Amino acid sequence: MKILKKYKWWWVSFLGALAVIFALFYPLPYYIEMPGGAYDIRTALKVNDKEDKEKGSYNFVAVSLVKATPIQLLYALTQPFHEIQKEEDATGGYSEKDYFRINQFYMETSQNGAIYQALKLADKPVSLDYLGVYVLNVSKDSTFHGVLNLADTVTGVNDKTFKNSKELVNYVGSLKVGDQVTVQYLSDDKKHSAKGKIIQLENGRNGIGIGLVDHTKVKSDIPVDFTLEGVGGPSAGMMFTLDIYDQLVDEDLRKGRDIAGTGTIEQDGSVGDIGGAGLKVVSAAKSGADIFFVPNNPVSDEVKKANPDAKTNYEEALEAAKKIKTKMKIVPVTKVQEAIDYLRKTK
């Protein structure tokens, strides 16, 4: 009888240990998005081979995306500013390796756009060469599915070349469903050509059915070097631009302030929307930032139709700022020049 009882408790202990291990380490098909950190850009950026020693800082902010375990999921349900997403929604259905690679393409495009805009605003000679578009995904109903792959670069359509991805999208969008098209592309630095047809996309427009981001290259005599690892995405574009610009002009726009913000940078200097604006406000506030720049573009009719309660990035940021009762100034912008003007006029 004693041996049986001892055996029973050993079995209970074993099952308990398994339950703890499961709760702590078993990966679930969910991700948790939460405030990450705020990072001083000059630790990863050098302009003109000079070290930036001015007081204050420009900071880009990030969110953390982690694969959920049972215990992490339960914890996230009790915490503010912890958002739970299905794995497919969080990564777009990509493997972690491909998801990271895609975000590196976005980061590369963001850095090139920031260098170009900053030098242009500072009246320095610079050009931005458009090499084509990186292929990020190919829809299953695309006639190029299985032909074009992640990281290929589409350089032309029907032997037409373009100055930016918008021109490419507009061109294929002007064609009719079923029209035959020939796509020119690079794969492993080798030139290829493939034929396919125009299809109707999920958004109702016509196209070839690929996700894309600009593949660009900056040319300038002024060296601007990034050494940033482990961070991806396009949302630091505006802050990169501000930091580079401030180091190129004969004035101190920081004025000792710690400045954070988010927003993509476009070729015309406009600031594009990002995801997780509220989470990034929390990240910036925790770092002690004085100012937080955030995009303030109107919500499109298409988005409003799908989600009548959709907010602008600025509205999301304000809402989060009120919840955490931060004194950090939330500043809305639609162009990077507006951020520069604000810094110039304020102390």
Side-chain angles (χ1 to χ4, degrees):
M1 191 72 177
K2 290 182 180 179
I3 294 175
L4 182 61
K5 188 174 183 181
K6 182 178 180 181
Y7 176 78
K8 180 181 177 181
W9 279 109
W10 178 89
W11 184 246
V12 170
S13 299
F14 175 72
L15 291 178
L18 281 181
V20 170
I21 292 171
F22 175 83
L24 291 174
F25 301 109
Y26 186 78
L28 297 174
Y30 294 93
Y31 276 82
I32 301 170
E33 191 174 28
M34 67 191 85
Y39 305 92
D40 189 336
I41 296 172
R42 62 185 151 190
T43 62
L45 170 69
K46 186 169 284 189
V47 179
N48 258 330
D49 296 320
K50 296 179 181 178
E51 191 173 347
D52 181 2
K53 296 182 179 180
E54 294 292 335
K55 294 181 179 179
S57 62
Y58 288 107
N59 301 270
F60 71 91
V61 290
V63 295
S64 295
L65 189 66
V66 298
K67 191 77 176 283
T69 64
I71 194 70
Q72 289 173 323
L73 196 65
L74 288 173
Y75 178 76
L77 289 170
T78 68
Q79 297 301 307
F81 303 108
H82 282 57
E83 299 177 0
I84 299 169
Q85 301 179 38
K86 292 181 180 179
E87 184 173 11
E88 187 172 346
D89 294 335
T91 66
Y94 298 106
S95 66
E96 286 192 13
K97 182 180 178 181
D98 284 347
Y99 179 72
F100 178 77
R101 194 178 184 192
I102 287 168
N103 275 285
Q104 288 304 112
F105 292 151
Y106 277 121
M107 176 60 78
E108 176 189 312
T109 301
S110 175
Q111 290 173 350
N112 287 341
I115 295 169
Y116 174 72
Q117 281 300 323
L119 269 66
K120 185 180 176 183
L121 287 166
D123 293 323
K124 306 295 183 183
V126 62
S127 65
L128 184 68
D129 292 345
Y130 174 76
L131 305 180
V133 295
Y134 281 123
V135 175
L136 302 184
N137 61 63
V138 184
S139 64
K140 292 181 180 179
D141 56 345
S142 171
T143 56
F144 293 94
H145 186 75
V147 178
L148 295 175
N149 297 289
L150 174 65
D152 287 347
T153 297
V154 172
T155 57
V157 179
N158 290 342
D159 292 317
K160 294 180 181 292
T161 56
F162 308 95
K163 293 180 181 178
N164 52 57
S165 58
K166 185 177 181 180
E167 286 187 3
L168 187 154
V169 170
N170 288 340
Y171 172 70
V172 296
S174 68
L175 302 178
K176 296 179 181 178
V177 172
D179 282 354
Q180 189 168 17
V181 291
T182 303
V183 169
Q184 292 76 45
Y185 67 100
L186 295 174
S187 185
D188 294 326
D189 295 324
K190 294 180 181 178
K191 293 182 179 180
H192 298 272
S193 180
K195 292 183 179 180
K197 294 182 178 180
I198 296 295
I199 63 171
Q200 187 171 59
L201 309 176
E202 288 185 1
N203 61 11
R205 296 192 64 178
N206 295 345
I208 59 175
I210 66 170
L212 50 83
V213 65
D214 284 351
H215 183 178
T216 58
K217 184 177 181 179
V218 177
K219 289 184 179 179
S220 174
D221 294 332
I222 299 174
V224 180
D225 301 305
F226 284 94
T227 54
L228 195 62
E229 296 181 2
V231 181
S235 64
M238 177 183 63
M239 295 308 298
F240 288 158
T241 305
L242 290 175
D243 196 319
I244 297 167
Y245 176 80
D246 202 344
Q247 295 186 59
L248 292 170
V249 296
D250 295 325
E251 60 179 317
D252 177 20
L253 294 175
R254 283 201 302 256
K255 303 170 188 174
R257 295 172 290 186
D258 291 316
I259 303 157
T262 187
T264 66
I265 188 69
E266 309 302 326
Q267 287 191 26
D268 62 355
S270 61
V271 177
D273 292 332
I274 51 85
L279 302 181
K280 290 175 180 178
V281 165
V282 178
S283 297
K286 285 182 177 180
S287 76
D290 303 304
I291 297 167
F292 185 82
F293 288 117
V294 63
N296 189 31
N297 301 303
V299 178
S300 69
D301 292 337
E302 185 179 340
V303 172
K304 281 184 178 179
K305 187 176 181 180
N307 180 11
D309 297 324
K311 298 180 176 67
T312 65
N313 280 176
Y314 177 55
E315 289 170 338
E316 291 176 26
L318 275 183
E319 190 176 276
K322 289 177 181 177
K323 283 183 180 179
I324 63 175
K325 299 179 181 179
T326 179
K327 294 182 180 179
M328 180 175 64
K329 182 69 174 178
I330 310 298
V331 182
V333 292
T334 57
K335 289 184 175 293
V336 70
Q337 185 62 55
E338 296 171 7
I340 292 170
D341 292 342
Y342 178 88
L343 294 174
R344 187 170 281 144
K345 294 175 183 177
T346 57
K347 295 182 180 180

